[in-house]
Amino acid sequence: MMERFLPLIKFMEPATVLIISVAAVLVAVTGFAVYLSFGPPSKQLADPFDEHED
């Protein structure tokens, strides 16, 4: 699949490739955080305020 994008990357400025790469990583990390917060793994999270209620 990367072979399709190699000719495009050859003609792009290095700064553009860097910006696209950083943006892709940021979107991936944000998506993973949302998955952990609201997806199936969130059932294992504990609310510390509920545990120490006075």
Side-chain angles (χ1 to χ4, degrees), residues 2-24:
M2 276 304 281
E3 292 83 24
R4 287 179 24 191
F5 296 110
L6 284 178
L8 180 64
I9 292 175
K10 284 182 183 178
F11 296 110
M12 295 174 79
E13 291 286 329
T16 305
V17 175
L18 179 66
I19 290 170
I20 291 172
S21 301
V22 168

Side-chain angles (χ1 to χ4, degrees), residues 30-49:
T30 303
F32 187 64
V34 169
Y35 170 74
L36 288 178
S37 298
F38 300 107
S42 69
K43 305 296 184 235
Q44 300 171 356
L45 296 177
D47 187 3
F49 293 105

